[in-house]
Amino acid sequence: MMVPLALMMLGVLAAAMAPRLMARSDWPDREPVLALWVWQCVVAGVLLCCLLAMSLSAAAAWEAVRSPVFGFAPRVVVEAYALQTHGPWAGVLALLLAGGGAWTAVALTREVRAVRARRRQRRAELLRRAPLLPGEEPCGERLVVLEGDRPEAWWLSHASPQLVITTSALRRLKGHQLDALIAHEQGHARARHDLLLYCASALAAGFPQVPVFAAFRDQVHRLVELAADDVASRRFGRRTIALALVELNEDRGVFGPCPAQLAQVPERVDRLLAPAPRFTPARRLRMTAVAALVPAIPLLVTFIPGLRALT
């Protein structure tokens, strides 16, 4: 039973240490895409630890599970895990982890349904504010302009994605600022940030007591905006997208005392106007490879007994 216990300890260690280490680092703001990759690797490693521990515990507790888990592995490999010596608590651990996996699936399903409901509500609101004329067919225009006194813009994701922008925002955005805004939203769409946000929100909602999932959700919401800002700035310049953010948000009071979720806007503007130096390509490559080792370590821990038996 040492391997499942080692996997659980490894998962707990990663879940406890990763949020602290990332919170103390200043490089995620400089490399948001790399930071997103690191967070995904950490969460994948934690989930993989739970999945592998559940599989080995279930194989130790029930013969019916043992055969599918080990398949056609040689007998010496199966004996290396000493499944017969495991106590009755192996089944308890397997059931607890299986329940956690099922609850994760339920939380993800609820999150997807909630997002779809919000999308339907937004589409209905869009149709109410911009109804089709008699005889007009929906043509799926990529840009929809609404009458509005508040400068607003949002990306409506569905079969035919659309950028919805109000007339007040159009009056405020000058030059290439509208193009930069469109590039920002397209950056979200191309990177499928919506899927990442679904998973992060589902894990945080399903397991609110687990700090790594709450930190993952909060950081993902922030980092995807920084990554989309970088996409727009590479095409139209940092000053252009920074001015667009100011024009869209200055009437909301975000540049004074405001809630924490709104304080991200001035931080994004400061980051764009005073960018810190980025990592070199070689350093980014090294950090990408190191992060990929996080989910690889649970696999290595799991397969070590079998590999030793074969040698």
Side-chain angles (χ1 to χ4, degrees):
M1 201 61 186
M2 291 303 297
V3 176
L5 289 178
L7 288 170
M8 292 304 299
M9 292 176 62
L10 183 62
V12 171
L13 181 64
M17 295 300 296
R20 297 179 183 179
L21 292 176
M22 294 295 286
R24 294 174 182 174
S25 304
D26 60 353
W27 65 265
D29 287 355
R30 299 158 60 186
E31 299 289 347
V33 175
L34 179 59
L36 285 171
W37 169 251
V38 172
W39 272 109
Q40 291 176 77
C41 289
V42 169
V43 172
V46 172
L47 296 178
L48 195 56
C49 285
C50 296
L51 177 62
L52 293 172
M54 179 193 70
S55 300
L56 292 176
S57 300
W62 301 292
E63 182 69 31
V65 181
R66 190 175 307 166
S67 179
V69 168
F70 285 91
F72 298 100
R75 184 175 179 179
V76 293
V77 172
V78 181
E79 291 176 350
Y81 289 88
L83 300 178
Q84 302 292 347
T85 63
H86 297 164
W89 57 278
V92 176
L93 178 61
L95 289 175
L96 287 175
L97 292 173
W103 183 245
T104 301
V106 170
L108 182 58
T109 302
R110 291 171 58 185
E111 179 67 22
V112 171
R113 287 182 176 177
V115 170
R116 288 179 175 176
R118 289 195 294 269
R119 284 182 180 176
R120 287 194 297 269
Q121 183 178 1
R122 279 198 163 187
R123 286 198 294 268
E125 178 68 14
L126 178 62
L127 189 60
R128 184 187 66 82
R129 296 178 63 181
L132 297 176
L133 298 176
E136 182 182 4
E137 295 292 335
C139 56
E141 294 290 343
R142 300 298 296 271
L143 181 64
V144 178
V145 179
L146 297 179
E147 287 287 344
D149 296 330
R150 293 185 60 183
E152 295 179 316
W154 66 90
W155 188 260
L156 192 60
S157 301
H158 51 85
S160 299
Q162 295 174 310
L163 176 65
V164 183
I165 188 168
T166 62
T167 52
S168 178
L170 282 180
R171 287 192 294 267
R172 286 175 173 267
L173 298 178
K174 303 174 180 64
H176 288 294
Q177 293 175 11
L178 177 59
D179 297 327
L181 177 63
I182 294 175
H184 173 98
E185 298 298 339
Q186 288 177 340
H188 285 310
R190 290 196 187 98
R192 297 311 307 267
H193 288 159
D194 54 337
L195 299 180
L196 191 56
L197 291 170
Y198 298 162
C199 295
S201 298
L203 288 171
F207 303 94
Q209 292 82 15
V210 181
V212 69
F213 295 148
F216 179 50
R217 175 199 56 197
D218 296 340
Q219 290 301 310
V220 162
H221 278 78
R222 188 177 67 89
L223 291 171
V224 295
E225 295 299 333
L226 301 185
D229 288 344
D230 289 347
V231 171
S233 66
R234 282 193 290 270
R235 294 184 59 186
F236 301 100
R238 290 180 173 271
R239 184 172 178 271
T240 303
I241 186 64
L243 290 175
L245 288 173
V246 172
E247 293 294 344
L248 289 176
N249 293 281
E250 64 177 349
D251 290 344
R252 300 180 183 181
V254 300
F255 295 100
C258 61
Q261 62 270 22
L262 296 179
Q264 293 182 6
V265 176
E267 293 175 359
R268 289 165 58 191
V269 173
D270 292 340
R271 172 182 176 272
L272 288 166
L273 295 179
R278 297 191 61 189
F279 290 164
T280 63
R283 186 174 181 182
R284 287 199 297 270
L285 183 60
R286 287 196 301 269
M287 293 189 66
T288 300
V290 170
L293 292 177
V294 176
I297 291 175
L299 294 173
L300 183 62
V301 171
T302 302
F303 292 129
I304 279 178
L307 295 174
R308 284 180 175 175
L310 291 175
T311 57

